[in-house]
Amino acid sequence: MERLKQEIRENGEVRDGNILKVDNFLNHMLDVELLNDMGKEFYRLFKDEGITKILTIEVSGIAIAAIAAQYFKVPVVFAKKVESQNLDKELYTSKVFSFTKNREYIIRVSKKYLNEADKLLVIDDFLADGNAMKGLISLAEQSGAEVKGIGIVIEKGFLDGGKELREANYNLQSLAIVDEMHQGEIRFRE
Amino acid sequence: MERLKQEIRENGEVRDGNILKVDNFLNHMLDVELLNDMGKEFYRLFKDEGITKILTIEVSGIAIAAIAAQYFKVPVVFAKKVESQNLDKELYTSKVFSFTKNREYIIRVSKKYLNEADKLLVIDDFLADGNAMKGLISLAEQSGAEVKGIGIVIEKGFLDGGKELREANYNLQSLAIVDEMHQGEIRFRE
């Protein structure tokens, strides 16, 4: 998506530890018009997959998942990272190791909201090592749902997440793939 | 909003500690069509206020804020609860005491994303004691922005948050106000 790449070029900040900070349109302030264009693009890419639900993970996947869901006319389910006493007791859970934060955390979805009849589009803001995405796929598999597509806003193409998911034959589509990034320079895959 | 009230009546679960669980359309699974109706209603209520940004707080405010923002054609800024090494150093911060969780936490917004020219609509999913909302208002005030409206999905009318904000002359509009709730019975304000 050209407009997304332009936004990343103009406003993305590269930081130590393979961090690409896009707080001004995706992770702190939301450019809702751009999110809408992304949502439409996900719809174009996955509209023939019979999607019944969009699965994402809190926090930064929620806005783009909700906006995209309007085009698919399906509900969004977001996996939770934070333990809550209000959550159902019957849960699908998965452990995720975050390289950015250097710690393991547990993601959860209530068993009520995913089932074997579901054909899922799994959406997230970033794909790096793919650990969060593999956790989401595990939640889907536990429920018997089928992952019909994976939609990513920004893939860090220099890490292995995308490669592994494509080799495992997932229909993974990233709106921008960053193949190299240094302070002041970001190179996208064509 | 009649459809929202009906949804709460049919699917809301009342739990100990004044908890109203609406996981099946607002807090875990998102009914995006209903969110859209809410977004339109917020637009109808606040469209003449010259809103320049919608301010909300992670996690559950994000989806409804993003959907509503499409009608106002303005960006969303969401305050962060979780400390992150990637956040800017220049922040507006505010302490919030959560009765539900019985602990204090800090909410933060980067100084980049709020300023004195902003006319804000502050949106959240729930209003109970009003502590989170007062924290958001404090962030707005620190930046010099003006709070032109407060839009709430579900107000717990039996707690004092709404009363205090109305007495302080905020333009607070709640799509549903629950005046009483017990297992199996929820009474709304007319």
Side-chain angles (χ1 to χ4, degrees), chain B residues 126-151:
Chain B
F126 274 95
L127 178 68
D129 304 285
N131 288 339
M133 185 51 66
K134 287 171 204 160
L136 287 169
I137 292 170
S138 164
L139 298 179
E141 282 174 351
Q142 290 170 50
S143 76
E146 195 181 347
V147 175
K148 298 291 284 182
I150 298 173

Side-chain angles (χ1 to χ4, degrees), chain A residues 4-54:
Chain A
L4 171 63
K5 289 181 192 172
Q6 191 184 326
E7 196 70 41
I8 296 169
R9 261 188 219 107
E10 285 172 15
N11 294 304
E13 287 175 43
V14 179
R15 300 234 174 143
D16 288 346
N18 286 330
I19 303 293
L20 174 59
K21 205 163 128 67
V22 287
D23 273 9
N24 76 314
F25 65 94
L26 191 61
N27 291 141
H28 190 4
M29 185 158 75
L30 304 172
D31 178 337
V32 177
E33 201 189 314
L34 178 57
L35 290 186
N36 236 302
D37 287 349
M38 295 180 198
K40 281 178 207 164
E41 180 66 7
F42 282 136
Y43 183 67
R44 191 184 67 80
L45 292 164
F46 296 109
K47 67 178 185 304
D48 299 325
E49 301 295 336
I51 302 300
T52 63
K53 273 178 199 148
I54 293 179

Side-chain angles (χ1 to χ4, degrees), chain A residues 60-124:
Chain A
S60 289
I62 293 177
I64 174 62
I67 298 280
Q70 298 175 116
Y71 299 101
F72 291 90
K73 299 184 193 307
V74 299
V76 171
V77 175
F78 59 95
K80 306 227 175 186
K81 286 180 189 171
V82 181
E83 207 155 353
S84 158
Q85 54 193 21
N86 300 332
L87 215 56
D88 289 322
K89 298 292 170 255
E90 296 289 301
L91 298 165
Y92 302 116
T93 65
S94 180
K95 280 184 196 169
V96 173
F97 184 79
S98 164
F99 281 98
T100 321
K101 290 176 183 159
N102 195 29
R103 64 173 186 85
E104 196 173 68
Y105 59 96
I106 293 173
I107 63 174
R108 310 163 177 80
V109 165
S110 165
K111 291 191 178 177
K112 281 184 196 160
Y113 302 127
L114 291 180
N115 64 64
E116 62 206 19
D118 280 321
K119 295 176 192 301
L120 301 178
L121 171 59
V122 190
I123 283 184
D124 207 358

Side-chain angles (χ1 to χ4, degrees), chain B residues 158-170:
Chain B
F158 52 88
L159 296 175
D160 284 338
K163 188 167 164 276
E164 288 170 18
L165 290 165
R166 287 186 185 93
E167 281 173 4
N169 281 319
Y170 286 102

Side-chain angles (χ1 to χ4, degrees), chain B residues 21-51:
Chain B
K21 207 164 128 67
V22 288
D23 274 9
N24 76 313
F25 65 94
L26 191 61
N27 292 142
H28 190 4
M29 185 157 76
L30 303 173
D31 178 337
V32 177
E33 201 189 315
L34 179 56
L35 290 186
N36 236 302
D37 287 350
M38 294 180 200
K40 281 178 206 163
E41 180 66 5
F42 282 136
Y43 183 66
R44 191 184 68 80
L45 293 165
F46 297 108
K47 67 177 183 306
D48 299 324
E49 301 295 336
I51 302 301

